[in-house]
Amino acid sequence: QVQLAESGGGLAQAGGSLRLSCAFSGGAFSRYDMNWFRQAPGKEREFVAAIKWSGGTFYQDSVKGRFTISKDNPKNTVYLEMNILKTEDTAVYYCACTTQRLGALGNAAAMNYWGKGTLVTVSS
């Protein structure tokens, strides 16, 4: 039913920028809060950013001031604008969503649907 499709990953230089997109389909976009997670090789999956349906945002401390999450409701699309990229940002980035409920935002275990991921590689 609900499907999430990430795009925009690729190679970027340290200090550069990259914009990821997540296309939502198969359900009512307005029922969900949207999240971005990432997983680097040999590391655990970690929360990156989230945006509530109402527009409120939340960020992992390591990306605050550099990354911006946003959404375009008519297009059913969520974005992650990544600026001042660091080599430490290299990872597979996943889009995920959860129905709106207490404690769900940013909690990987609470996600209802996941995208397949898009690889971001930052070189020095």
Side-chain angles (χ1 to χ4, degrees):
Q1 294 182 348
V2 171
Q3 294 184 6
L4 301 172
E6 304 97 334
S7 62
L11 179 65
Q13 294 184 340
S17 300
L18 204 61
R19 189 189 194 190
L20 305 183
S21 298
C22 174
F24 176 102
S25 64
F29 191 52
S30 61
R31 292 180 59 188
Y32 297 90
D33 293 330
M34 308 302 297
N35 302 254
W36 286 98
F37 293 84
R38 67 185 181 186
Q39 187 166 23
K43 303 292 185 179
E44 295 183 353
R45 186 171 299 184
E46 67 174 357
F47 169 75
V48 177
I51 185 167
K52 296 180 178 180
W53 172 250
S54 59
T57 58
F58 182 80
Y59 297 92
Q60 172 67 252
D61 286 343
S62 65
V63 306
K64 284 184 177 179
R66 300 190 298 119
F67 291 11
T68 301
I69 186 171
S70 63
K71 59 187 175 74
D72 187 333
N73 291 337
K75 296 184 183 297
N76 287 9
T77 301
V78 179
Y79 305 98
L80 184 67
E81 181 72 34
M82 304 184 294
N83 300 309
I84 318 175
L85 284 165
K86 303 176 180 179
T87 55
E88 302 97 287
D89 295 319
T90 295
V92 175
Y93 283 71
Y94 297 91
C95 179
C97 66
T98 180
T99 52
Q100 299 156 22
R101 57 188 185 275
L102 184 65
L105 196 71
N107 182 1
M111 299 297 110
N112 295 104
Y113 301 99
W114 292 85
K116 294 181 179 180
T118 185
L119 177 63
V120 172
T121 302
V122 183
S123 63
S124 60

